[in-house]
Amino acid sequence: MHPILLIVFLPLLAALVAGLTNKAAPSVFAKAITTGALFVSAALSWPIFLGFVAGTYEPTVVPVLKWVQSGSLAFDWALRVDTLTAIMLVVINTVSALVHLYSWGYMDEDPDQPRFFAYLSLFTFAMLMLVTADNLVQMFFGWEGVGLASYLLIGFWFRKPSASAAAIKAFVVNRVGDLGFMLGIFGTYLVFDTVSITEILAAAPGMSGATIGFLGYNVYTMDVLCVLLFIGAMGKSAQLGLHTWLPDAMEGPTPVSALIHAATMVTAGVFMVCRLSPMFETAPVALGLVTFIGAATCIFAATVGTTQWDIKRVIAYSTCSQLGYMFFAAGVGAYGAAMFHLFTHAFFKALLFLGAGSVIHAMHHEQDMRYYGELRKHIPLTFWAMMAGTLAITGVGIYHLGAGFAGFWSKDAILEVAYGRGTELGNFAFWMGTFAALLTSFYSWRLMFLTFWGKPRWIESEHIQHSVHKTPEEAGADTTGGYHPHESPVTMLIPLGVLSIGAVLAGQVFAPTFLDDAAFWGSSIFYNEPLIHAMHNVPYLVKYAALIVMVIGLVVAWYAYIKDTSIPAKTAEQLGPIYRFLYNKWYFDELYHYLFVVPAFWLGRQFWKIVDVGTIDRFGPNGIAWVVEKGSVGARKFQTGYLYSYALVMLLGLVAAITWVLF
């Protein structure tokens, strides 16, 4: 038996067992079986990945079963294992296994733990289905499976109105993107007469320059197909325009946030673009759109992240920004660099989210950073884990020393390759990415300083007040309120430790393989070797751009939140409308509310009043009921109970019948 079968189907089996037993067995049963299955899947994934790194593992396709045979449309359920799949297997299963273990501590008091762990494993299975897909229909199956599982997980605490709203928002916004993805798949089948990824990618170069009629225009075939497919990626990977669901997804439990933002759902779009990279290489307009949207998302999310106070929301916007980096890297043709950033990002982003969960756990469920302070002395292990994640996401490293944290290697490579591309869009992406790196450094260090430095501001939190049964007035000069933050249990600290290793070493160890080894990638992506050479020959100032802006962001954050804490309020007041614009997330939610939600509700009300109540009910059940009621009133007049009345009716009927016959 090929190990890929166990890797993919063990999470599904564990999800079914945990879900079906639910509360019929102790919660530890569901926790143990799902966590065990994921650790087995993770353990089996690493040898495959390392085999591709060493060059000893050959790409293969493992058949599962016959699926569809209808005319020319024929495809099987088969699991594709190549370099791209191997990377995703490691990312998904490693992070998911650690999230499962972390959830033992974080969700310890939740009465619905079996359901939670079943959802987690189902989510993992759906993502594994997506990344092992050998055809577009199977990929779409995993694509929609991830969407369903995300709905269940984001709305896990469904009794919270905000969680239910966030789940619906994620589901609806992703359906918009999925429509584009569906149309892209339909169009691809129309053009290539197959949904097999291998056959499509082999035939794609021959379609370069071909045209097709679309919306009344004669346009380039591959551009249309790739733009439609990219719209699907925009929804799943929360790119500008279809991003609004991602920050709200933090309404789910923190382990869910870590899983969605780091390893699964949001990486699906990047994976799909890289998987179909030979197609995208024949579509220059689509690649230009990918570059522009990626760069725009990068800067948009970074600007918003600088103004948020919720610790999880800051990290959520950082996810959105980092996904922008991945897309514009793919847009300029550096698919290897995009996947490298996806790989490193999974470790430090999962670390940051789980670290944030540990802080929230220590602070009695408080998420507002304004009510933190001085926590490094009370939760030192969490502090050092968050520090490792921050050093990684801000790109700390020195080029000439050949040393740096994970984010340094991948982010630096993306900026270099964008500059090295030499196109206008490439230069635009480089400058946007550099400025976003500056803002990333600022808001990341802002998070650290507000959380772990400065004086305690705990008593200002309502959560802490409820815990210590004191008001700020009663606490007086004691800003702690007598509250004692506590370090997380060992089941939460072990994942933090493992992910810290990844945040520190993932870039250092694997950078040469991901960036420079064409043999490593094989035919799994389009590898642009001249572009990689150009990347290595960019000026030193470009190579040090990420480090320079990191230092600037660090200094500004230190001055504003440690040296002179009055600066943020003064700056917000001076900037006025600009600050409110950023704080309100560029008013995208409000804009969509008035453009789509309000008209949709109005249209729904009109349909209800005019079509449902006014037409269907009036002439349907209500109308029939009225006729029956009035008819019964009339009929009741004939039911007198007197014999002569019935005889009269019979006589009249007889006369009428005779009259009809005679005349």
Side-chain angles (χ1 to χ4, degrees):
M1 180 188 291
H2 198 285
I4 191 65
L5 293 170
L6 289 173
I7 292 171
V8 171
F9 290 107
L10 272 177
L12 174 63
L13 183 62
L16 289 172
V17 172
L20 293 174
T21 55
N22 199 8
K23 295 181 181 179
S27 60
V28 70
F29 173 76
K31 293 155 66 173
I33 197 164
T34 52
T35 307
L38 262 298
F39 270 95
V40 171
S41 290
L44 293 172
S45 300
W46 275 96
I48 297 175
F49 170 68
L50 294 174
F52 279 108
V53 172
T56 58
Y57 209 99
E58 292 295 323
T60 184
V61 176
V62 180
V64 177
L65 51 79
K66 295 285 182 183
W67 200 357
V68 170
Q69 177 68 59
S70 178
S72 64
L73 180 63
F75 51 88
D76 299 333
W77 189 353
L79 305 179
R80 181 186 179 107
V81 185
D82 58 11
T83 303
L84 200 60
T85 304
I87 294 167
M88 295 304 295
L89 290 179
V90 164
V91 167
I92 295 164
N93 287 320
T94 302
V95 173
S96 185
L98 294 171
V99 164
H100 275 73
L101 179 59
Y102 181 93
S103 301
W104 279 61
Y106 194 87
M107 303 296 290
D108 187 49
E109 297 178 1
D110 197 287
D112 294 314
Q113 290 178 74
R115 178 166 63 89
F116 178 78
F117 280 85
Y119 288 171
L120 281 184
S121 292
L122 180 65
F123 196 0
T124 308
F125 164 73
M127 192 66 193
L128 291 170
M129 281 297 305
L130 193 159
V131 301
T132 56
D134 191 45
N135 59 74
L136 291 177
V137 179
Q138 187 182 328
M139 184 181 285
F140 187 73
F141 175 78
W143 196 270
E144 293 301 308
V146 168
L148 169 64
S150 70
Y151 171 79
L152 296 172
L153 284 170
I154 295 168
F156 177 75
W157 287 322
F158 56 85
R159 293 177 181 85
K160 284 175 61 182
S162 58
S164 297
I168 294 170
K169 190 175 184 179
F171 197 81
V172 171
V173 172
N174 272 279
R175 296 297 73 72
V176 175
D178 293 351
L179 176 61
F181 191 44
M182 287 170 61
L183 293 174
I185 293 173
F186 297 155
T188 303
Y189 175 69
L190 177 69
V191 171
F192 294 98
D193 199 35
T194 181
V195 291
S196 168
I197 292 175
T198 305
E199 294 175 18
I200 291 167
L201 298 185
M207 291 299 297
S208 182
T211 59
I212 192 173
F214 184 73
L215 299 177
Y217 297 93
N218 203 37
V219 293
Y220 288 108
T221 305
M222 297 309 293
D223 279 324
V224 172
L225 296 182
C226 290
V227 166
L228 289 172
L229 292 168
F230 177 61
I231 290 171
M234 285 176 65
K236 273 288 178 288
S237 295
Q239 294 301 283
L240 190 64
L242 295 177
H243 68 279
T244 53
W245 68 270
L246 187 63
D248 290 354
M250 53 168 246
E251 289 291 345
T254 298
V256 171
S257 303
L259 195 57
I260 289 177
H261 289 71
T264 53
M265 190 165 168
V266 295
T267 61
V270 180
F271 167 82
M272 185 267 288
V273 171
C274 292
R275 169 65 81 204
L276 303 179
S277 53
M279 276 184 71
F280 279 83
E281 281 298 309
T282 64
V285 174
L287 277 182
L289 180 65
V290 173
T291 306
F292 179 78
I293 294 293
T297 304
C298 185
I299 194 68
F300 153 75
T303 58
V304 176
T306 59
T307 62
Q308 303 303 304
W309 295 110
D310 187 303
I311 188 170
K312 286 174 68 177
R313 194 174 288 275
V314 173
I315 304 172
Y317 275 105
S318 85
T319 300
C320 201
S321 184
Q322 300 305 310
L323 287 165
Y325 278 102
M326 299 174 207
F327 273 110
F328 80 67
V332 299
Y335 304 99
M339 289 303 300
F340 186 35
H341 197 52
L342 187 155
F343 180 78
T344 60
H345 173 262
F347 291 104
F348 62 72
K349 185 51 52 71
L351 175 60
L352 286 170
F353 260 113
L354 296 186
S358 186
V359 171
I360 295 166
H361 184 266
M363 291 300 291
H364 204 69
H365 309 293
E366 179 58 69
Q367 295 184 193
D368 195 319
M369 297 184 297
R370 288 172 290 189
Y371 308 138
Y372 291 165
E374 206 185 47
L375 287 177
R376 73 185 189 281
K377 298 178 181 178
H378 302 271
I379 46 173
L381 297 177
T382 300
F383 163 69
W384 285 111
M386 290 284 285
M387 178 61 78
T390 302
L391 292 170
I393 194 173
T394 55
V396 175
I398 299 175
Y399 173 76
H400 278 92
L401 294 180
F405 291 81
F408 162 76
W409 292 98
S410 54
K411 187 187 292 185
D412 199 57
I414 290 173
L415 294 176
E416 288 174 27
V417 82
Y419 187 90
R421 184 69 180 185
T423 62
E424 288 186 9
L425 271 174
N427 288 332
F428 170 74
F430 167 75
W431 288 111
M432 290 297 100
T434 303
F435 187 50
L438 169 64
L439 297 178
T440 301
S441 175
F442 171 75
Y443 67 65
S444 297
W445 289 111
R446 170 179 178 261
L447 183 153
M448 292 295 292
F449 293 144
L450 281 171
T451 304
F452 296 106
W453 276 273
K455 68 174 186 178
R457 302 175 297 277
W458 312 339
I459 194 59
E460 297 173 29
S461 163
E462 289 185 5
H463 294 271
I464 302 299
Q465 291 171 27
H466 291 158
S467 174
V468 298
H469 307 292
K470 288 182 186 175
T471 64
E473 291 75 22
E474 291 170 344
D478 184 9
T479 55
T480 68
Y483 183 75
H484 299 286
H486 49 285
E487 192 65 91
S488 299
V490 67
T491 53
M492 294 172 64
L493 293 175
I494 290 173
L496 292 179
V498 175
L499 290 168
S500 296
I501 296 171
V504 174
L505 297 177
Q508 192 82 39
V509 173
F510 294 109
T513 304
F514 275 82
L515 298 175
D516 299 320
D517 191 352
F520 167 71
W521 291 107
S523 60
S524 65
I525 64 168
F526 177 84
Y527 186 81
N528 193 334
E529 200 156 348
L531 184 60
I532 299 302
H533 287 307
M535 177 189 81
H536 290 305
N537 294 322
V538 298
Y540 284 127
L541 191 61
V542 174
K543 293 181 182 292
Y544 277 97
L547 178 63
I548 293 168
V549 296
M550 187 284 300
V551 173
I552 295 171
L554 169 62
V555 171
V556 172
W558 174 83
Y559 200 83
Y561 293 96
I562 300 295
K563 179 71 173 175
D564 185 358
T565 55
S566 66
I567 289 177
K570 292 176 183 176
T571 305
E573 187 179 353
Q574 288 177 347
L575 292 176
I578 298 173
Y579 175 81
R580 287 192 295 275
F581 179 72
L582 299 179
Y583 183 74
N584 289 290
K585 302 154 291 195
W586 291 27
Y587 291 103
F588 267 102
D589 284 310
E590 290 79 2
L591 178 66
Y592 287 178
H593 178 75
Y594 288 110
L595 282 181
F596 303 115
V597 178
V598 171
F601 273 90
W602 178 85
L603 191 63
R605 282 193 297 272
Q606 301 312 305
F607 267 99
W608 168 59
K609 290 178 181 178
I610 299 170
V611 179
D612 191 10
V613 177
T615 304
I616 297 173
D617 286 353
R618 185 178 180 186
F619 298 104
N622 292 347
I624 294 170
W626 182 85
V627 170
V628 171
E629 181 189 1
K630 297 303 180 184
S632 65
V633 172
R636 199 162 57 239
K637 295 178 179 179
F638 292 96
Q639 302 292 331
T640 63
Y642 295 109
L643 183 61
Y644 61 79
S645 297
Y646 301 146
L648 178 62
V649 172
M650 290 171 67
L651 180 62
L652 292 173
L654 184 61
V655 170
I658 293 170
T659 304
W660 173 261
V661 171
L662 293 177
F663 298 102

